[in-house]
């Protein structure tokens, strides 16, 4: 009898063993699928976030390019104004520094008169 009891208990254990392994494999597969789906959903969410950031970045780049073009146009305008002002200044100084032909050789009459007066004062003493 003991032998039959031992063999029956061994048979019961062996009967539950495949079912226990099957349940364990199902639990393991289910938990793996759950973890994988969470990982995939996190990746999809991150991908959406990166796409939004890329769109914002492209918009910002477009703004910066427009600003750069505006600044470039403004700089060209300022350079043209500066060159025009320098040209006007050069022509103004050129016309102001050239004396008329009549005033080039003649000395001032007062200086000549003062020189002659000084000479007379020295002679009187």
């Amino acid at each position: 009898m003991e032998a039959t009891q031992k063999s029956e208990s061994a048979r019961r254990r062996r009967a539950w063993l495949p079912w226990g392994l099957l349940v364990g494999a199902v639990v393991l597969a289910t938990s793996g699928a759950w973890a994988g789906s969470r990982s995939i959903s996190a990746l999809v969410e991150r991908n959406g976030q990166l796409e939004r950031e890329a769109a914002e970045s492209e918009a910002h780049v477009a703004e910066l390019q427009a600003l750069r073009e505006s600044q470039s146009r403004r700089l060209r305008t300022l350079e043209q104004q500066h060159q025009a002002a320098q040209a006007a200044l050069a022509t103004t100084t050129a016309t102001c520094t050239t004396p008329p032909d009549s005033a080039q050789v003649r000395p001032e009459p007062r200086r000549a008169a003062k020189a002659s007066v000084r000479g007379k004062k020295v002679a009187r003493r």
Side-chain angles (χ1 to χ4, degrees):
M1 237 168 95
E2 271 185 40
T4 58
Q5 283 181 349
K6 286 183 183 179
S7 66
E8 272 190 43
S9 64
R11 241 188 291 161
R12 285 184 197 158
R13 267 188 260 138
R14 281 188 226 138
W16 284 104
L17 181 65
W19 291 107
L21 289 175
L22 181 62
V23 168
V26 167
V27 168
L28 185 63
T30 305
S31 63
W34 176 76
S37 69
R38 285 185 46 101
S39 176
I40 289 172
S41 66
L43 287 174
V44 168
E45 183 180 327
R46 179 68 176 150
N47 189 27
Q49 180 184 3
L50 288 175
E51 285 177 357
R52 284 189 303 275
E53 288 177 3
E56 290 173 4
S57 178
E58 288 175 3
H60 189 65
V61 165
E63 284 179 25
L64 289 176
Q65 286 177 343
L67 182 63
R68 180 179 179 206
E69 290 173 6
S70 170
Q71 292 294 330
S72 177
R73 284 192 304 270
R74 185 174 177 197
L75 180 64
R76 279 194 300 265
T77 304
L78 288 174
E79 285 176 347
Q80 290 172 355
Q81 289 175 353
H82 180 69
Q83 288 173 355
Q86 281 198 341
L89 181 65
T91 57
T92 304
T93 54
T95 56
C96 290
T97 56
T98 55
D101 293 334
S102 61
Q104 287 181 359
V105 180
R106 294 184 185 174
E108 292 183 12
R110 287 186 174 178
R111 289 185 184 175
K114 287 181 182 178
S116 63
V117 171
R118 285 185 191 158
K120 290 181 182 178
K121 285 182 183 177
V122 174
R124 288 185 197 169
R125 287 188 183 172

